[in-house]
Amino acid sequence: MSILKEISENLQKGKAKIVKQLVQQAIDEGIPVHQILDEGLLSGMGVVGEKFKRNEVFVPEVLVAARAMNMGTQLLKPLLAEAGVKATGKVCIGTVKGDLHDIGKNLVKMMMEGKGLEVIDLGTDVAPETFVETAKNEGCQIICCSALLTTTMGVMEEVVQKAVEAGIRDNVKIMVGGAPVTEAFAQKIGADRYTSDAASAADCAVELCSA
Ligand code: B1M
């Protein structure tokens, strides 16, 4: 089996230490960093994302795969910067003001990073102004809002409004998600996209960034 396939398969099993060793070995063997990233780490995380969508794996499996992914990317990050490999897009993500749930948001972040996006994690309890200022100052193509409470999902509408007021609405897409959020709600508040799970959110973000 090729070393890249081994990286991908061990990542899918969440074997972080082995992934780290294999990535180091691949670097030492002179395999180009973008190839280690695309055909090893991202390919493995892609499989996990698809299985997660089909309910073939669940949150714990995704979390261990993401940890393995992080171990590998830590080694690649400095080399990717040297090689001038650019992220496929830049997004900021957070759980909206008043809401402290972050497990789903973290999964979305991991899946997006797994697709090669640069993700600024604003954490939880994030004010609408913070989403908008970050997108403006950091040049994010997408603002991603997560909410788990029916009492906080309304904050997403404020994010849309603040983006309009700040004059960035035409340049930034707004994605929303979280258990109580629906497609109809997203349309009602003027968000660009609703997705129901982390893997679909990552696919959607890549699509929006490359549009
Ligand atoms: Co809370 N909680 N909680 N809670 N909690 C819920 C959400 C609740 C449904 C439980 C219930 O009553 N049955 C309920 C909300 C009811 C409602 O609003 N209608 C609730 C409540 C009421 C509360 C408190 C108010 C309880 C209290 O104190 N009285 C309080 C609120 C605190 C606050 O936020 N201000 C509270 C607190 C907590 C804990 C701190 C104990 C803990 C959070 C820990 C943490 O996140 N670090 C917690 C938990 C764990 C839950 C449940 C049990 C699980 C949530 C979770 O992590 N799910 C939840 C009940 C349940 O859902 N069964 C519940 C797993 C996670 C992977 O799913 O986040 O939906 P989820 O993410 C999914 C998708 O939604 C999607 O992708 C993910 C996976 O594919 N997704 C996106 C998420 N964000 C996305 C963004 C996108 C796209 C997709 O695009 C940008």
Side-chain angles (χ1 to χ4, degrees):
M1 195 195 304
S2 81
I3 186 162
L4 298 177
K5 195 152 192 278
E6 271 189 79
I7 291 173
S8 168
E9 295 203 346
N10 279 285
L11 185 145
Q12 290 168 47
K13 292 180 197 146
K15 308 241 181 240
K17 275 192 189 153
I18 299 178
V19 167
K20 192 175 176 188
Q21 280 164 8
L22 288 168
V23 167
Q24 188 59 58
Q25 192 186 323
I27 294 168
D28 296 342
E29 283 177 14
I31 299 176
V33 273
H34 65 84
Q35 205 175 343
I36 303 173
L37 183 68
D38 291 343
E39 294 172 32
L41 298 171
L42 294 181
S43 139
M45 202 60 198
V47 174
V48 175
E50 288 307 314
K51 285 188 175 170
F52 185 56
K53 263 197 225 170
R54 297 194 298 266
N55 290 326
E56 289 171 19
V57 297
F58 300 97
V59 173
E61 286 94 332
V62 177
L63 292 176
V64 289
R67 198 185 52 176
M69 167 100 194
N70 285 338
M71 296 281 257
T73 48
Q74 269 168 27
L75 292 174
L76 291 185
K77 257 184 195 160
L79 303 170
L80 286 167
E82 272 171 34
V85 175
K86 287 212 165 66
T88 46
K90 193 173 187 180
V91 315
C92 60
I93 189 167
T95 308
V96 297
K97 195 168 175 55
D99 200 326
L100 303 175
H101 296 85
D102 67 357
I103 299 169
K105 183 267 295 172
N106 291 342
L107 280 176
V108 174
K109 175 190 168 191
M110 287 167 190
M111 289 290 180
M112 288 184 172
E113 287 180 337
K115 291 272 174 186
L117 294 164
E118 184 181 345
V119 183
I120 301 174
D121 186 357
L122 300 170
T124 58
D125 194 18
V126 181
E129 296 81 2
T130 308
F131 281 107
V132 171
E133 277 160 24
T134 306
K136 196 172 175 179
N137 298 338
E138 299 285 339
C140 300
Q141 287 122 298
I142 311 176
I143 292 174
C144 298
C145 304
S146 179
L148 262 285
L149 298 172
T150 45
T151 48
T152 59
M153 56 197 274
V155 177
M156 293 172 163
E157 187 167 10
E158 290 177 45
V159 175
V160 176
Q161 283 162 2
K162 292 282 174 205
V164 173
E165 284 166 25
I168 62 163
R169 188 66 187 97
D170 291 340
N171 309 328
V172 72
K173 300 287 181 197
I174 299 178
M175 287 176 57
V176 294
V181 182
T182 60
E183 177 69 50
F185 175 78
Q187 285 186 12
K188 180 175 149 262
I189 65 167
D192 295 292
R193 292 290 186 92
Y194 158 75
T195 47
S196 62
D197 63 84
S200 307
D203 288 342
C204 178
V206 169
E207 183 202 316
L208 291 176
C209 285
S210 50

Coordinates of all heavy atoms in Angstrom, one line a residue, residues 142-145 153 155-161 163-164 169 172-177 181-195 204 208:
I142 N -16.8 33.8 3.9 CA -18.0 33.3 4.5 C -18.0 33.6 6.1 O -17.0 33.4 6.7 CB -18.2 31.8 4.3 CG1 -17.9 31.4 2.8 CG2 -19.5 31.3 4.8 CD1 -18.0 29.9 2.6
I143 N -19.2 33.9 6.5 CA -19.4 33.9 8.0 C -20.3 32.7 8.3 O -21.3 32.5 7.6 CB -20.2 35.2 8.4 CG1 -19.4 36.5 8.2 CG2 -20.7 35.1 9.8 CD1 -20.1 37.8 8.5
C144 N -19.9 31.9 9.2 CA -20.6 30.7 9.6 C -21.1 30.8 11.0 O -20.4 31.0 11.9 CB -19.7 29.5 9.5 SG -19.0 29.2 7.9
C145 N -22.5 30.7 11.1 CA -23.1 30.9 12.5 C -23.8 29.6 12.9 O -24.5 29.0 12.1 CB -24.2 31.9 12.4 SG -23.6 33.5 11.9
M153 N -31.2 31.5 18.1 CA -31.1 31.4 16.6 C -31.5 32.8 16.0 O -31.0 33.1 14.9 CB -31.9 30.3 16.1 CG -33.4 30.3 16.4 SD -34.1 28.7 16.1 CE -34.6 28.8 14.4
V155 N -30.3 35.5 16.7 CA -29.1 36.4 16.6 C -28.5 36.3 15.2 O -27.9 37.2 14.7 CB -28.0 35.9 17.6 CG1 -26.8 36.7 17.5 CG2 -28.6 36.0 19.1
M156 N -28.8 35.2 14.5 CA -28.3 35.0 13.1 C -28.9 36.1 12.2 O -28.2 36.5 11.3 CB -28.7 33.6 12.6 CG -28.0 32.5 13.3 SD -28.6 30.9 12.9 CE -27.3 29.9 13.4
E157 N -30.1 36.5 12.5 CA -30.7 37.6 11.7 C -30.0 38.9 11.9 O -29.7 39.7 11.0 CB -32.2 37.7 12.0 CG -32.9 38.7 11.1 CD -34.4 38.6 11.2 OE1 -34.9 38.0 12.1 OE2 -35.1 39.2 10.3
E158 N -29.5 39.1 13.1 CA -28.8 40.3 13.5 C -27.4 40.3 12.7 O -26.9 41.3 12.3 CB -28.5 40.4 15.0 CG -29.8 40.7 15.8 CD -29.4 40.7 17.3 OE1 -28.4 41.3 17.7 OE2 -30.2 40.1 18.0
V159 N -26.9 39.1 12.6 CA -25.6 39.0 11.9 C -25.8 39.5 10.4 O -25.0 40.3 9.9 CB -25.0 37.6 11.9 CG1 -23.8 37.4 11.0 CG2 -24.7 37.1 13.3
V160 N -26.9 39.0 9.8 CA -27.2 39.4 8.4 C -27.4 40.9 8.3 O -26.8 41.6 7.5 CB -28.5 38.7 7.9 CG1 -28.8 39.2 6.5 CG2 -28.3 37.2 7.9
Q161 N -28.1 41.4 9.3 CA -28.4 42.9 9.3 C -27.1 43.7 9.5 O -26.8 44.7 8.8 CB -29.4 43.3 10.4 CG -30.8 42.9 10.0 CD -31.7 42.9 11.3 OE1 -31.3 43.1 12.4 NE2 -33.0 42.5 11.0
A163 N -24.1 42.8 8.8 CA -23.3 42.7 7.5 C -23.8 43.7 6.5 O -23.0 44.3 5.8 CB -23.3 41.3 7.0
V164 N -25.1 43.9 6.4 CA -25.6 44.9 5.5 C -25.2 46.3 5.9 O -24.7 47.1 5.1 CB -27.2 44.8 5.5 CG1 -27.8 46.0 4.6 CG2 -27.7 43.5 4.9
R169 N -22.2 43.0 2.8 CA -23.1 41.9 2.5 C -22.9 41.3 1.1 O -23.1 40.2 0.9 CB -24.6 42.4 2.7 CG -25.6 41.3 2.6 CD -25.5 40.3 3.8 NE -26.3 39.1 3.6 CZ -25.9 38.0 3.1 NH1 -24.7 37.8 2.7 NH2 -26.8 37.0 3.0
V172 N -19.7 39.0 1.2 CA -19.5 37.9 2.2 C -20.8 37.0 2.2 O -21.9 37.5 2.1 CB -19.2 38.4 3.6 CG1 -20.4 39.1 4.3 CG2 -18.7 37.3 4.5
K173 N -20.6 35.7 2.1 CA -21.8 34.8 2.2 C -22.0 34.5 3.7 O -21.0 34.4 4.5 CB -21.5 33.5 1.5 CG -21.2 33.7 0.0 CD -22.5 34.0 -0.7 CE -22.2 34.2 -2.2 NZ -23.3 35.0 -2.9
I174 N -23.2 34.2 4.0 CA -23.6 33.8 5.4 C -24.2 32.4 5.4 O -25.2 32.2 4.8 CB -24.5 34.9 6.1 CG1 -23.7 36.2 6.1 CG2 -24.9 34.5 7.5 CD1 -24.5 37.4 6.7
M175 N -23.5 31.5 6.2 CA -24.1 30.2 6.3 C -24.5 30.0 7.7 O -23.9 30.4 8.7 CB -22.9 29.1 6.0 CG -22.6 29.0 4.6 SD -21.2 27.9 4.3 CE -21.8 26.4 5.1
V176 N -25.7 29.3 7.9 CA -26.2 29.0 9.2 C -26.5 27.5 9.4 O -26.7 26.8 8.4 CB -27.5 29.8 9.4 CG1 -27.2 31.3 9.5 CG2 -28.6 29.5 8.4
G177 N -26.5 27.1 10.7 CA -26.8 25.7 11.0 C -26.9 25.5 12.5 O -26.7 26.5 13.2
V181 N -32.2 25.1 13.6 CA -32.2 25.9 12.4 C -32.7 25.1 11.2 O -32.5 23.9 11.1 CB -30.8 26.4 12.0 CG1 -30.8 27.3 10.8 CG2 -30.2 27.2 13.2
T182 N -33.5 25.8 10.3 CA -34.1 25.1 9.1 C -33.8 25.9 7.9 O -33.4 27.1 8.0 CB -35.6 24.9 9.3 OG1 -36.1 26.3 9.4 CG2 -36.0 24.1 10.5
E183 N -34.0 25.3 6.8 CA -33.9 25.9 5.5 C -34.9 27.2 5.4 O -34.5 28.3 5.0 CB -34.3 24.9 4.4 CG -34.3 25.5 3.0 CD -32.8 25.8 2.5 OE1 -32.0 25.0 2.6 OE2 -32.6 26.9 2.0
A184 N -36.1 27.0 5.9 CA -37.1 28.0 5.8 C -36.6 29.2 6.7 O -36.8 30.4 6.3 CB -38.4 27.5 6.4
F185 N -36.0 28.9 7.9 CA -35.5 30.0 8.8 C -34.4 30.7 8.1 O -34.4 32.0 8.1 CB -35.1 29.3 10.1 CG -34.4 30.3 11.0 CD1 -35.2 31.2 11.8 CD2 -33.1 30.5 11.1 CE1 -34.7 32.2 12.6 CE2 -32.5 31.4 12.0 CZ -33.3 32.2 12.7
A186 N -33.5 30.0 7.5 CA -32.4 30.6 6.8 C -32.9 31.6 5.7 O -32.4 32.7 5.6 CB -31.5 29.6 6.2
Q187 N -33.9 31.1 5.0 CA -34.4 32.0 3.9 C -35.1 33.2 4.5 O -34.9 34.3 4.0 CB -35.4 31.2 3.0 CG -34.7 30.3 2.1 CD -35.6 29.6 1.1 OE1 -36.7 30.0 1.0 NE2 -35.1 28.5 0.5
K188 N -35.8 33.0 5.6 CA -36.6 34.1 6.2 C -35.6 35.2 6.7 O -35.9 36.4 6.5 CB -37.4 33.5 7.4 CG -38.2 34.6 8.1 CD -39.0 33.9 9.2 CE -39.3 34.8 10.4 NZ -38.4 34.6 11.5
I189 N -34.4 34.8 7.2 CA -33.5 35.9 7.8 C -32.6 36.4 6.7 O -31.8 37.3 7.0 CB -32.7 35.3 9.0 CG1 -31.8 34.2 8.6 CG2 -33.7 34.9 10.1 CD1 -30.8 33.9 9.7
G190 N -32.6 35.8 5.5 CA -31.8 36.3 4.4 C -30.4 35.8 4.4 O -29.4 36.4 3.9
A191 N -30.2 34.6 5.1 CA -28.9 34.0 5.0 C -28.7 33.3 3.6 O -29.7 33.1 2.9 CB -28.8 32.9 6.1
D192 N -27.4 33.0 3.3 CA -27.2 32.5 1.9 C -27.5 31.0 1.9 O -28.0 30.4 0.9 CB -25.8 32.8 1.5 CG -25.6 34.2 1.3 OD1 -26.3 34.8 0.4 OD2 -24.9 34.9 2.1
R193 N -27.0 30.3 3.0 CA -27.1 28.8 2.9 C -27.4 28.2 4.3 O -26.9 28.7 5.3 CB -25.8 28.2 2.4 CG -25.5 28.4 1.0 CD -26.4 27.7 0.1 NE -26.0 27.9 -1.3 CZ -25.2 27.0 -1.9 NH1 -24.8 25.9 -1.3 NH2 -24.8 27.2 -3.2
Y194 N -28.2 27.2 4.3 CA -28.4 26.4 5.5 C -27.9 25.0 5.2 O -28.2 24.5 4.1 CB -29.9 26.3 5.9 CG -30.2 25.1 6.7 CD1 -29.9 25.1 8.1 CD2 -30.8 24.0 6.2 CE1 -30.1 23.9 8.9 CE2 -31.1 22.8 7.0 CZ -30.7 22.8 8.3 OH -30.9 21.7 9.1
T195 N -27.2 24.4 6.1 CA -26.8 22.9 5.9 C -27.1 22.2 7.2 O -27.0 22.8 8.3 CB -25.4 22.7 5.5 OG1 -24.5 23.5 6.3 CG2 -25.1 23.1 4.0
C204 N -20.4 22.8 1.2 CA -21.1 24.0 0.8 C -20.1 25.2 0.8 O -20.0 26.0 -0.1 CB -22.3 24.3 1.7 SG -23.1 25.8 1.4
L208 N -19.0 27.7 -2.2 CA -19.1 29.1 -2.2 C -17.8 29.8 -2.4 O -17.7 30.8 -3.1 CB -19.8 29.6 -0.8 CG -21.2 29.2 -0.6 CD1 -21.7 29.6 0.8 CD2 -22.2 29.8 -1.6

